[in-house]
Amino acid sequence: MTDTGNASAADRTGSVSGESVVFRGGTVLTMDDEHGVLADADVLVTRDRIAAVGQHLPVPDGTTEIDSAGGIVMPGMIDTHRHMWQSAMRGYGADWTLTQYFVWYYLEHGRDFRPEDVFAGNMLSALESLEAGVTTTVDWSHGLQSVDHAEAAVEGLAAVPGRFVLAYGNIQAGPWEWTARPEVQGFLRRLRDAGDDMLGVQLAFDVTGDPSFPEKAAFEVARELGLPVTTHAGVWGATNDDGIRLMHENGFMTPETVYVHAASLSADSYQRIAATGGTISVSTESEQSAGQGYPPTWQVRRHNIPVALSMDTSVWWSGDLFSAMRSTLGADRSREHLEAHAKGATVTHTRLRAEQVVEWATRGGARAIGRDDLGSIEIGKKADLILIKNDDSPVSFPLLNPYGHVAFQAQRGDVHTVVVDGKVVKQAHRLVGADLGRVRAAIGATVDHLRSTMGEPSWLAGMNPDLPAAEEVLDNPYTYTDYKSASTRTARGTVFGEPRSHG
Ligand SMILES: [Zn+2]
């Protein structure tokens, strides 16, 4: 593979749609400080920036017009934690627990991933982001066993015209070991000094709570290189309050630190995070099914800690922040109801609003990665925008509550247009210029490699974990009841042509 680690934005694929693009007549969620919602409004993009927002905007000759009537124009979403290399194993671990994930990736098969496998997974995941309206993705890249793997990770991202942050990690060595390697530091310096607006860089490692705090050396490297750290914190059975305390006591908790999950922490840890200004990246679908702890927004809100959203890994879930918004609302409200029920009380007014999760998916992510120029639709900001509009879908109307529509009604297939850095990368529901055949072939080769390396029994066992001991079915005193449903219905007519009879 060629080294494209220094690829500039101009080298990337994707359409350059003239100098200007205008979204016409949409409902615009600005996500600015006032959370302005503009009806029948236009957004003009000139080169890589938002040039104007308002009604009936005059635009330069040759501007690409995108009819946004009936749709929602909003900032591109930002996923603050995804192990993009794992997309090569899409869906394989659907029935895993976190323990099974650790065994498979950390202990048994993570080493089998070659640089070309990281390349393939990253390229697929990057396309998956754009397709779902995620314009910036933090690649929590902890499969980087060598700098060759890291080069391949960057190459996979550079093949796709999205915005990314490479969070460099390596689960096959202690963070104090791999961060000390001169070639790793050289790679990180090179990426940092390239100053590529489309590719940020961070360090990604976890803090086990070992009292000798061996991770201190890795934090010192991050500080010396001037790179933020992202860490899985508050993961049941893996990382806990001790890790937070050690980070805090040693002065490594800073506003740019991102705490992923933070799902099994005490109030004391939340207070340390709140006081030092970091962000919590909540991966609700992950926390709900893998077992890191209860999705923490219901607690985090009370500590006033900034929140961002993430999808974690496509080995279980998909890189789709609509799912993240939906599941986060559900988990938060579910907990609020249950906490009230336990006291014999009823929640009559729900606290977490759809508007809030839309903010977490946009501005929350921008804050987490230190990008003030992303996450809202304001003049002068970077033009990372999406249009949610699907005239063929009965779910597209009526559009009454735009935030509620985004959080509970819309889905990735409704993402009509995606603009990143002023370039149209998805248009009329299709990725522009994406060679899916090439990606499919690369992924196929990775799957073949892993499957043959593991052997068929191991491959199948990994995908189909044993069930725990059979669950006893409880006695049911009502099983004698026989329901017969009424079978007559009155047709009011049909929109499919001839009325049909029901029976
Ligand atoms: Zn993770």
Side-chain angles (χ1 to χ4, degrees):
M1 277 177 288
T2 56
D3 174 11
T4 54
N6 287 322
S8 70
D11 295 326
R12 291 162 197 271
T13 56
S15 80
V16 180
S17 44
E19 290 287 280
S20 303
V21 180
V22 65
F23 292 88
R24 283 286 191 207
T27 296
V28 178
L29 303 184
T30 63
M31 304 317 295
D32 62 7
D33 288 344
E34 285 74 41
H35 283 201
V37 179
L38 313 174
D40 190 24
D42 306 339
V43 179
L44 175 65
V45 170
T46 301
R47 290 182 296 280
D48 61 334
R49 301 279 170 176
I50 294 166
V53 184
Q55 290 190 317
H56 313 298
L57 294 174
V59 301
D61 287 344
T63 298
T64 303
E65 300 248 350
I66 299 169
D67 176 8
S68 308
I72 294 170
V73 181
M74 62 177 271
M77 292 179 272
I78 297 173
D79 185 336
T80 48
H81 152 244
R82 195 186 317 159
H83 309 295
M84 298 177 77
W85 62 292
Q86 296 178 349
S87 294
M89 295 296 289
R90 182 188 301 292
Y92 180 89
D95 295 322
W96 280 355
T97 60
L98 196 59
T99 303
Q100 286 158 340
Y101 167 85
F102 282 146
V103 168
W104 201 94
Y105 273 107
Y106 285 58
L107 299 179
E108 292 184 343
H109 306 298
R111 279 194 178 81
D112 295 338
F113 284 74
R114 306 160 299 177
E116 55 262 54
D117 304 320
V118 172
F119 166 79
N122 269 24
M123 189 163 53
L124 179 61
S125 188
L127 285 171
E128 183 177 354
S129 279
L130 293 189
E131 212 273 333
V134 177
T135 50
T136 299
T137 311
V138 175
D139 179 17
W140 224 100
S141 195
H142 57 0
L144 306 183
Q145 304 170 62
S146 72
V147 169
D148 283 348
H149 287 76
E151 300 281 7
V154 166
E155 193 178 350
L157 301 177
V160 175
R163 207 181 289 280
F164 304 100
V165 175
L166 181 79
Y168 192 118
N170 176 7
I171 54 177
Q172 304 302 340
W176 55 93
E177 294 167 336
W178 60 261
T179 56
R181 292 175 191 159
E183 70 275 19
V184 171
Q185 293 189 10
F187 174 88
L188 291 168
R189 266 196 202 92
R190 182 157 60 75
L191 221 59
R192 178 198 68 191
D193 294 344
D196 186 348
D197 179 59
M198 301 296 288
L199 183 66
V201 56
Q202 299 182 349
L203 288 184
F205 58 86
D206 298 342
V207 181
T208 62
D210 177 339
S212 69
F213 195 37
E215 299 87 0
K216 184 177 184 189
F219 280 108
E220 282 167 347
V221 170
R223 181 177 286 167
E224 190 203 313
L225 294 173
L227 300 178
V229 171
T230 175
T231 186
H232 292 114
V235 172
W236 180 260
T239 59
N240 58 27
D241 290 321
D242 292 332
I244 295 288
R245 183 179 47 75
L246 287 164
M247 284 176 66
H248 192 233
E249 287 172 356
N250 286 275
F252 294 120
M253 290 175 74
T254 65
E256 55 271 9
T257 309
V258 174
Y259 307 86
V260 174
H261 301 305
S264 50
L265 294 176
S266 67
D268 179 71
S269 286
Y270 288 130
Q271 285 169 347
R272 292 178 199 258
I273 294 172
T276 49
T279 299
I280 290 179
S281 173
V282 178
S283 298
T284 300
E285 281 198 324
S286 178
E287 288 126 30
Q288 285 183 319
S289 104
Q292 294 90 342
Y294 199 89
T297 58
W298 69 287
Q299 300 203 75
V300 166
R301 283 192 280 112
R302 298 189 292 192
H303 292 284
N304 202 27
I305 299 170
V307 172
L309 301 184
S310 57
M311 283 310 300
D312 205 348
T313 169
S314 295
V315 77
W316 270 281
W317 311 285
S318 72
D320 170 359
L321 288 189
F322 293 108
S323 300
M325 289 188 279
R326 198 167 299 175
S327 57
T328 300
L329 277 172
D332 192 289
R333 291 175 178 180
S334 179
R335 186 64 183 242
E336 200 173 20
H337 289 301
L338 287 175
E339 293 284 323
H341 297 177
K343 296 175 194 153
T346 300
V347 174
T348 58
H349 293 67
T350 202
R351 206 170 283 279
L352 185 63
R353 300 304 171 103
E355 179 175 349
Q356 183 67 65
V357 293
V358 175
E359 188 196 86
W360 288 344
T362 53
R363 284 193 83 161
R367 184 196 183 282
I369 58 170
R371 290 289 302 252
D372 287 345
D373 57 345
L374 303 177
S376 65
I377 298 181
E378 297 176 81
I379 293 169
K381 291 218 176 184
K382 280 283 185 178
D384 290 8
L385 301 165
I386 67 172
L387 168 63
I388 297 169
K389 172 182 159 99
N390 187 350
D391 292 341
D392 295 325
S393 167
V395 185
S396 65
F397 59 88
L399 178 51
L400 306 177
N401 173 347
Y403 294 115
H405 201 95
V406 170
F408 277 133
Q409 305 296 321
Q411 52 159 314
R412 63 190 304 146
D414 299 326
V415 175
H416 178 286
T417 301
V418 178
V419 171
V420 182
D421 210 43
K423 292 177 189 153
V424 178
V425 300
K426 185 181 182 185
Q427 194 161 29
H429 302 282
R430 293 185 73 86
L431 290 169
V432 176
D435 184 355
L436 277 191
R438 179 187 172 212
V439 183
R440 194 176 277 120
I443 290 290
T446 287
V447 170
D448 288 348
H449 160 70
L450 291 167
R451 197 165 180 158
S452 61
T453 303
M454 290 171 65
E456 202 62 10
S458 179
W459 170 268
L460 291 173
M463 188 158 43
N464 302 287
D466 292 339
L467 276 172
E471 216 162 10
E472 189 188 352
V473 178
L474 305 176
D475 282 341
N476 181 348
Y478 303 108
T479 47
Y480 57 83
T481 306
D482 183 26
Y483 291 101
K484 284 198 171 127
S485 58
S487 60
T488 52
R489 279 185 237 168
T490 308
R492 285 184 190 276
T494 169
V495 293
F496 286 93
E498 287 301 302
R500 297 169 188 206
S501 60
H502 297 266

